[in-house]
Amino acid sequence: MFRRTPEDPAILAARAAARRESAQADVERARLMAQLDREQREANAEHARRQALADEQERRRRDAARRVERAETRERRRRARAEFGAKLRPVLPLLLINGGAAYAQAAYAYDQIAPAAWNGPSRVAFAVAFSAALESIAVYVQWHAHDALMLKAHATAASLRRAAWLIAAVVAAINYAHFANGAAPTAAAVAFALLSLLSPWLWGLHTRRAQHVQLLAEDASLIDDAGVEFSPKRRRMFPIRSLMAARWSIEHNERDPRKAWEGYNAERAARAAARQADKDHPAEKVTTPPAETTPQEPADPPVDPWDHAEPVTPAPATPVREPVRPARPTARSLTAAERVIAAHTTAPTATHERIAHLAQVSVSTVKRHRPRPVTGSPSAPHAAPTPVNGTPVPIAA
């Protein structure tokens, strides 16, 4: 009844080809999807690996930063402890001394001054407050003296130190009276009195050290140096000469022991040579009458009243020369003026440069201290009057 229409073979072939291409496309799509999925997984794995590496690096960086921060914190704490220790070491004996004295005051106040009706904590608080108030007076005044000296107010510091010593002496007397057996001393009375009395002295030690450190920080030349320090062996072998060389170094501001020793020995040899020269060739010094005295007028010779003679000019006075006694050797060092005079006495005709070389001073010092030569001529205001009219005649220079 129904007959199937036969299809065209070309159409069938086309349909078969289309089905094959669709199957191939599905296979290619499946392959590409599998490849994409594989690449996505690889990309995710690489990202995870890199993220893990970055996280590890960040963790290490944070750990390193924490280690550095901890090291810096430890260094800061170490420096703070060192600074605190450096500040505490100079004042620790002072704190112990004042603590002992305060304990004595507190013990006496608790036992003798605090009312017995009070409870224990109230009596302890009263005793601590009493001892702290009594012992802090001298400490507070001495602290102001320390601060004034650091600010270079030397007069204020000196007056405050004296006041601190006076207050400490009064507090020491009170401490002594607390524990003495009447007027008789006891070990506790003497010990606690010394603790109160030594507080200003310890403060003074700390103040002088702080002032020395301050001067060193500002300028080392501001410190008055005490001269050189020779070795113990040199002091034993040459006790007197070492003492005199140290004195010479203080006078000449010399800090090198070798230069101080050589300089003192050179000066000592120069003094010995000058004394020997004075003994061998005693010099003469020129002495003139004082300028304030008026020379005595010579007696007038007999003159004919009718003879009008010319004015007679008086002869110049001859300087009186007397030998100079040799200077006695003294143990002290000669000053610059004394060295100049000694060198001039040894060589009175030498030049200023030669005298400066002999006396080991400058030429200006020689010009200032070397004796001037005396001319021996009387000055014009003191000229003698003439026998004719009694009027002084000026003397030609």
Side-chain angles (χ1 to χ4, degrees):
M1 174 174 182
F2 297 98
R3 294 185 63 182
R4 189 172 184 180
T5 305
E7 296 181 1
D8 189 3
I11 295 175
L12 295 175
R15 289 177 180 175
R19 285 193 296 269
R20 285 195 302 270
E21 291 178 358
S22 176
Q24 292 177 358
D26 292 339
V27 171
E28 185 65 20
R29 185 182 303 110
R31 187 184 65 80
L32 291 177
M33 289 299 295
Q35 183 179 359
L36 179 62
D37 184 62
R38 185 173 60 255
E39 292 177 354
Q40 186 67 34
R41 287 195 303 269
E42 293 177 355
N44 291 336
E46 181 66 19
H47 175 72
R49 187 183 65 80
R50 292 184 179 182
Q51 185 64 32
L53 182 60
D55 293 343
E56 180 67 18
Q57 292 177 351
E58 180 66 18
R59 185 184 63 79
R60 291 179 179 178
R61 187 190 64 80
R62 288 196 301 266
D63 292 344
R66 281 195 297 268
R67 286 194 297 270
V68 171
E69 184 178 358
R70 285 195 295 267
E72 292 177 353
T73 303
R74 288 194 298 269
E75 182 65 20
R76 284 196 303 269
R77 291 176 180 175
R78 187 190 64 79
R79 286 199 300 266
R81 288 194 299 269
E83 292 176 1
F84 178 75
K87 293 178 181 179
L88 181 62
R89 278 193 298 271
V91 299
L92 182 59
L94 181 62
L95 296 177
L96 294 176
I97 291 292
N98 285 278
Y103 166 76
Q105 298 286 0
Y108 182 81
Y110 181 85
D111 188 50
Q112 301 293 332
I113 301 178
W118 289 6
N119 55 14
S122 299
R123 296 178 67 184
V124 170
F126 173 79
V128 170
F130 174 81
S131 63
L134 193 61
E135 288 295 330
S136 63
I137 300 174
V139 175
Y140 183 71
V141 175
Q142 188 64 32
W143 177 81
H144 274 289
H146 170 86
D147 189 62
L149 189 60
M150 291 295 100
L151 296 177
K152 302 186 186 304
H154 299 280
T156 303
S159 62
L160 289 175
R161 279 197 300 270
R162 289 191 293 269
W165 272 104
L166 179 61
I167 296 171
V170 173
V171 176
I174 295 174
N175 244 343
Y176 181 85
H178 288 168
F179 298 94
N181 187 11
T186 61
V190 174
F192 290 131
L194 283 178
L195 290 180
S196 296
L197 188 61
L198 290 178
S199 177
W201 180 68
L202 294 177
W203 259 110
L205 293 179
H206 174 65
T207 300
R208 285 189 290 273
R209 175 188 175 276
Q211 185 193 25
H212 189 80
V213 172
Q214 183 187 47
L215 292 177
L216 282 177
E218 293 177 0
D219 187 2
S221 61
L222 298 177
I223 300 177
D224 187 13
D225 192 72
V228 299
E229 183 67 23
F230 294 111
S231 64
K233 186 174 182 180
R234 188 185 295 270
R235 291 198 301 267
R236 288 194 301 269
M237 300 299 293
F238 306 97
I240 304 300
R241 198 180 301 182
S242 298
L243 179 62
M244 298 305 296
R247 185 175 182 270
W248 186 92
S249 69
I250 296 174
E251 180 183 0
H252 294 81
N253 296 322
E254 181 59 56
R255 299 183 179 181
D256 189 350
R258 183 181 298 276
K259 292 182 180 179
W261 187 263
E262 293 175 353
Y264 168 72
N265 285 329
E267 183 176 312
R268 181 168 173 266
R271 289 199 305 268
R275 289 194 298 268
Q276 186 64 33
D278 291 341
K279 292 179 181 179
D280 296 341
H281 305 286
E284 295 181 354
K285 65 178 180 180
V286 179
T287 59
T288 57
E292 291 79 13
T293 59
T294 303
Q296 184 178 3
E297 298 180 0
D300 296 336
V303 181
D304 187 1
W306 301 100
D307 186 9
H308 300 283
E310 293 294 328
V312 179
T313 303
T318 304
V320 180
R321 298 180 180 272
E322 56 185 22
V324 180
R325 297 178 180 179
R328 296 180 179 179
T330 57
R332 66 179 183 86
S333 299
L334 299 178
T335 62
E338 292 173 344
R339 293 200 299 270
V340 170
I341 293 175
H344 173 75
T345 304
T346 305
T349 60
T351 61
H352 289 335
E353 290 76 7
R354 178 60 179 170
I355 296 297
H357 177 72
L358 292 176
Q360 297 182 354
V361 294
S362 61
V363 178
S364 59
T365 304
V366 173
K367 293 180 180 179
R368 185 165 60 251
H369 297 292
R370 188 177 185 181
R372 281 10 178 229
V374 180
T375 58
S377 300
S379 57
H382 301 291
T386 62
V388 178
N389 51 14
T391 303
V393 178
I395 299 175

